Amino acid sequence: MSRRTKITAVDNISFDIYRGEIFGMIGPNGAGKSTTFAMMTTLIKPTSGSIKVAGFDIENDAEKIREKIGVVPQQHSLYSDLTARENLELMGNLYDVPKKIMDERIDYYLKLVNLETHSERYTGGFSGGMKQRLSVISAVIHDPEIIFWDEPTTGLDPQTRQAIWKLAGKFNKEGKTLIFTTHYMEEADKLCDRVAIMNSGKLVALDTPENLKKMSNSTNLEEVFIHLTGEEIRD
Amino acid sequence: MNLKRELKNSWIIMIKESRQLFRKKILVVPLFVFPIVMIVFFGYGMGGTVNHVSLLVVNDDTGTLSNSLVNEIGIFIPKNSDVKMFDLTYTKDMAQSEAEAKINAGEYKAVLLIPADYSDTLAGNEAVTLTLLTDQSDTTSSGIIVEVMKQVLAKTRKSPSIQLEIPEIYGSLKYIDFLTPAVIALTVFFGTVMSTGYAVAGEREDGTIVRILMTPISRGAVILGKTLHQLILQLARAVILIVAAIIIFGVTMNGSWFLVALILVIFTFGAVGMGIAISAKSEDMTSFQQISMLFTLPSMFATGVFFPLSSVPDWMRWIAYFIPLTYANDAMRIVMVKGQGLEAITGDLIILSVFSVVIFAVAINLFRREA
């Protein structure tokens, strides 16, 4: 739980995420998704309670956790004055990926996301979609067990969104665990094996999209979401 | 075009801009305080005169004629000032080499040697020669002291004349010799604070630092990496500056390159820490720019880069004692101009080291919490 600056952003929640599943966290603004996400990715520490990621405790083994996870941040977070390849090499080097393996992976992933012809271009000149595709492969260059995705398709065109979903599916088939936060119910419904719905720092529901819809007698996840979190607009 | 509508819209935009500015309270203070700070430092620094010059009078005169000369020197008040120019100390029987050593050690800004036959020579209606030693590593003060001394001597006795002999104790020095060591320290300070701060504030703004911090790298390693980059960059800049100053202006490099590097390495550590600390507390790049200017620019005018500290008012000199650049300037001048060794700059190095360690610790702490 995080109680920084007197606001309890996340309060008394407990859940397990299984190896190999695609897990979604959804909730209105201020629900505590970002704080939970930041705690799971070791960016902030909980003020009480404990979190284990890949079997390691975030309080004592943050570095080991960072070796096992990859993060696709909300912002593209790429160095605009480095080329696409240099950005990937930087990440590979920080994860201590051997040079030969890193070069092979870089070539493979650049091709996978159709950026192989742009590898030597500075990313400052990339479109939003290109940046996001590069951002995704930057997060997997060290072959992580778990990939965290923070609202990965926000602001993207439908084609890029589809491409990101495809990539997520591919990584999951390879055995990686995927953890998403998203504002798009369609995304959660389509991609996730299980969805956690958060509201005001608490976990209000956790189940498969199908079960959540059945439980609320709804045809889509958006109705479930409104039903569980209310219609009130959040700050 | 509807002029009324246009004016109204302009007014709306103006109000919005003002509102945004005043919401960033951290920006408002430097914005309004900064010009005041600048005018004060510029005005007093550039327009000031040299006073409180510590002058040692070695009076070996066996007669009494030197009394009026010493009295004239003691009461001399420069134009536009109400403070006596010289703080006098008297002694006798001191060799010139011993007097030079006292200037070297920074005990006195100048030493006036009055020979034993001063009164007798003048009484015999012959010209007499006094020896004036000045701290020529501070070319500005030295020049002013020489000019003032000439005025006082002319006023004391028209005929027969009193001549001044001014030995060049550090070789022939120009203003550029005084300026270069401090400009190097200033460049290193400015360059390091600004580039480190921009890097950290910029990476925070575009989110790249967060991505880096989610890899196995520690925050300490991030800071160390940035510091090493700055050390190499700033040392390279310093070498280029010194070599350029030697080639273009014939600047004198009397001391050890190793000591210059040592001063700059210690100082750069502190400047990196300062850049990180300011950027960690800045909301964005604009805030960083404004806050850092509040620290960096006054350093330029208060620490004796362009004019000697002896020419500034007492209160400004006190401010200078709290600014690390003062000690970097001093150490650089002692090494580059006076050609002195490690013992002569130990005090400066201790102060710079304490500053660097403290500000670095603060920076790491702030970076851990804020980045």
Side-chain angles (χ1 to χ4, degrees):
Chain A
M1 313 315 116
S2 179
R3 288 193 172 79
R4 238 183 133 182
T5 62
K6 292 182 188 168
I7 295 167
T8 305
V10 179
D11 190 15
N12 199 26
I13 64 169
S14 177
F15 58 86
D16 294 308
I17 298 169
Y18 307 121
R19 188 183 292 269
E21 79 170 329
I22 304 182
F23 187 87
M25 289 196 296
I26 59 175
N29 292 335
K33 302 184 302 292
S34 298
T35 306
T36 310
F37 192 89
M39 289 191 289
M40 289 196 291
T41 53
T42 74
L43 267 184
I44 57 172
K45 288 180 178 175
T47 47
S48 63
S50 68
I51 299 174
K52 279 194 171 183
V53 178
F56 296 107
D57 184 77
I58 67 154
E59 189 78 34
N60 305 314
D61 297 312
E63 200 175 313
K64 283 178 186 155
I65 291 173
R66 288 189 206 124
E67 284 168 8
K68 302 278 182 190
I69 66 171
V71 183
V72 182
Q74 204 171 336
Q75 277 177 289
H76 307 302
S77 307
L78 299 165
Y79 287 96
S80 57
D81 38 12
L82 295 183
T83 65
R85 182 174 289 277
E86 285 167 344
N87 268 285
L88 293 169
E89 282 172 348
L90 171 69
M91 297 308 287
N93 286 328
L94 288 175
Y95 284 104
D96 204 19
V97 179
K99 172 95 174 79
K100 193 168 174 284
I101 296 173
M102 182 168 69
D103 288 342
E104 284 169 7
R105 279 189 197 155
I106 288 174
D107 290 338
Y108 169 74
Y109 282 128
L110 282 171
K111 205 169 176 189
L112 184 72
V113 295
N114 291 324
L115 287 175
E116 72 270 33
T117 54
H118 303 281
S119 65
E120 304 308 324
R121 275 183 61 196
Y122 294 126
T123 62
F126 279 17
S127 69
M130 290 165 81
K131 282 180 182 169
Q132 188 62 341
R133 272 142 53 206
L134 184 62
S135 176
V136 170
I137 61 172
S138 297
V140 295
I141 203 73
H142 57 298
D143 193 23
E145 285 177 22
I146 305 165
I147 311 171
F148 288 88
W149 310 65
D150 193 6
E151 299 183 21
T153 57
T154 302
L156 296 179
D157 60 50
Q159 286 85 352
T160 309
R161 195 183 299 181
Q162 289 281 349
I164 300 291
W165 290 349
K166 248 189 192 169
L167 274 175
K170 177 185 158 42
F171 294 142
N172 184 242
K173 268 192 193 136
E174 290 169 359
K176 298 183 194 307
T177 307
L178 311 185
I179 300 167
F180 277 86
T181 68
T182 181
H183 276 300
Y184 297 122
M185 299 302 124
E186 180 203 359
E187 188 165 83
D189 199 353
K190 191 178 164 96
L191 277 183
C192 299
D193 298 317
R194 289 190 306 147
V195 173
I197 301 179
M198 295 183 69
N199 192 26
S200 305
K202 293 187 187 295
L203 183 65
V204 292
L206 171 57
D207 213 324
T208 63
E210 288 312 311
N211 285 344
L212 287 170
K213 282 185 268 186
K214 266 187 215 161
M215 192 175 70
S216 301
N217 218 4
S218 309
T219 53
N220 61 59
L221 211 50
E222 185 145 340
E223 282 179 19
V224 180
F225 184 81
I226 297 289
H227 173 74
L228 289 170
T229 61
E231 290 184 2
E232 181 195 345
I233 294 171
R234 312 304 161 88
D235 296 329
Chain B
M1 189 177 72
N2 182 338
L3 184 63
K4 197 177 161 192
R5 181 77 207 161
E6 287 292 310
L7 286 174
K8 190 185 169 197
N9 287 344
S10 304
W11 177 259
I12 292 167
I13 296 295
M14 189 201 80
I15 295 293
K16 185 222 46 142
E17 295 286 327
S18 309
R19 220 171 245 163
Q20 281 178 304
L21 173 67
F22 284 93
R23 295 271 152 85
K24 287 182 183 171
K25 290 193 175 55
I26 200 151
L27 263 185
V28 175
V29 176
L31 204 65
F32 291 101
V33 173
F34 189 64
I36 299 168
V37 172
M38 291 305 291
I39 195 73
V40 167
F41 280 101
F42 251 120
Y44 281 105
M46 302 294 261
T49 180
V50 178
N51 52 40
H52 289 300
V53 173
S54 50
L55 173 70
L56 176 67
V57 178
V58 183
N59 192 352
D60 292 334
D61 184 20
T62 49
T64 54
L65 288 180
S66 59
N67 292 348
S68 60
L69 170 66
V70 173
N71 187 45
E72 282 291 338
I73 295 170
I75 60 169
F76 182 81
I77 296 174
K79 264 186 192 169
N80 306 323
S81 173
D82 49 7
V83 183
K84 286 180 191 170
M85 180 159 170
F86 297 103
D87 294 336
L88 294 188
T89 309
Y90 304 96
T91 189
K92 54 198 233 174
D93 294 333
M94 182 183 280
Q96 185 174 322
S97 57
E98 200 183 335
E100 282 180 15
K102 293 211 174 283
I103 289 178
N104 245 337
E107 287 178 44
Y108 298 99
K109 270 282 177 199
V111 178
L112 183 67
L113 298 152
I114 303 174
D117 58 355
Y118 178 84
S119 294
D120 293 345
T121 312
L122 285 179
N125 224 12
E126 284 176 49
V128 66
T129 302
L130 307 184
T131 305
L132 178 65
L133 303 170
T134 58
D135 180 358
Q136 289 152 0
S137 66
D138 176 352
T139 50
T140 310
S141 297
S142 178
I144 293 172
I145 293 166
V146 170
E147 283 313 307
V148 165
M149 201 57 84
K150 281 179 182 167
Q151 279 178 41
V152 174
L153 294 183
K155 194 178 162 194
T156 308
R157 199 162 183 112
K158 297 268 185 289
S159 177
S161 66
I162 306 170
Q163 311 284 332
L164 263 190
E165 188 193 326
I166 306 153
E168 289 177 346
I169 58 178
Y170 303 123
S172 174
L173 294 175
K174 301 179 289 294
Y175 179 62
I176 190 79
D177 292 296
F178 167 80
L179 196 64
T180 303
V183 164
I184 291 166
L186 176 75
T187 309
V188 165
F189 182 62
F190 255 52
T192 310
V193 171
M194 298 311 271
S195 58
T196 311
Y198 271 130
V200 174
E203 287 183 25
R204 246 159 48 117
E205 206 165 280
D206 65 20
T208 45
I209 196 80
V210 173
R211 176 161 230 151
I212 295 290
L213 293 177
M214 282 189 284
T215 71
I217 193 172
S218 71
R219 290 177 192 229
V222 174
I223 292 182
L224 185 63
K226 287 181 183 295
T227 308
L228 291 175
H229 161 73
Q230 286 300 331
L231 284 178
I232 294 166
L233 183 71
Q234 300 307 334
L235 283 178
R237 288 176 80 193
V239 169
I240 290 169
L241 260 169
I242 296 171
V243 171
I246 291 171
I247 293 170
I248 301 169
F249 301 110
V251 161
T252 317
M253 172 63 178
N254 284 331
S256 144
W257 284 87
F258 170 75
L259 287 181
V260 167
L262 182 67
I263 298 163
L264 294 179
V265 165
I266 295 171
F267 192 43
T268 303
F269 261 104
V272 168
M274 196 167 213
I276 292 174
I278 298 171
S279 62
K281 292 304 281 180
S282 306
E283 287 171 28
D284 49 33
M285 296 275 274
T286 318
S287 308
F288 167 76
Q289 203 175 6
Q290 291 293 329
I291 300 168
S292 58
M293 296 271 262
L294 195 63
F295 286 97
T296 49
L297 278 191
S299 297
M300 178 153 67
F301 299 106
T303 59
V305 174
F306 300 107
F307 39 79
L309 275 182
S310 50
S311 74
V312 303
D314 286 348
W315 63 265
M316 205 202 259
R317 202 172 305 119
W318 274 105
I319 292 175
Y321 291 147
F322 288 94
I323 301 177
L325 185 58
T326 303
Y327 303 96
N329 289 344
D330 189 48
M332 289 288 285
R333 282 185 179 130
I334 288 174
V335 173
M336 285 184 66
V337 183
K338 292 186 177 180
Q340 290 186 275
L342 187 61
E343 323 80 59
I345 57 169
T346 305
D348 289 325
L349 288 186
I350 289 172
I351 293 170
L352 288 176
S353 302
V354 170
F355 156 72
S356 296
V357 168
V358 170
I359 193 76
F360 216 75
V362 169
I364 290 175
N365 200 21
L366 285 175
F367 186 72
R368 284 212 167 110
R369 278 195 290 144
E370 309 285 343

